[in-house]
Amino acid sequence: MNEPQNVTLPNGRNLSCDTCQNELFEYHQWKLQTTGMSFMNLDWANRDANCFVCSECRRIHWFHT
Ligand SMILES: [Zn+2]
């Protein structure tokens, strides 16, 4: 289950949706690394992405770890 929740950012503020200002998000952690990205030697791509999907409008806000 992935219940929408408030998200506290490293700066101490609550994440709010860029589009609708909602503050409830579903959390997903997606792997960015793919064979193609490795081939391109993109170091920043070899990381996880923390993704927060707005429960209202479904906009994705994502952050690299
Ligand atoms: Zn939204």
Side-chain angles (χ1 to χ4, degrees):
M1 294 300 293
N2 197 334
E3 294 294 325
Q5 60 189 292
N6 284 299
V7 178
T8 303
L9 297 173
N11 65 11
R13 301 182 62 170
N14 268 7
L15 178 64
S16 61
C17 179
D18 291 344
T19 300
C20 72
Q21 281 73 56
N22 176 46
E23 293 190 353
L24 292 176
F25 298 85
E26 296 169 13
Y27 172 70
H28 301 270
Q29 189 172 61
W30 286 319
K31 300 289 186 182
L32 291 180
Q33 184 174 19
T34 69
T35 302
M37 284 180 171
S38 295
F39 175 74
M40 292 165 66
N41 197 28
L42 296 174
D43 186 55
W44 57 265
N46 295 330
R47 299 178 182 178
D48 293 337
N50 291 313
C51 302
F52 302 99
V53 182
C54 175
S55 65
E56 290 290 331
C57 72
R58 314 305 294 173
R59 179 181 170 85
I60 298 171
H61 304 66
W62 71 348
F63 301 86
H64 289 175
T65 55

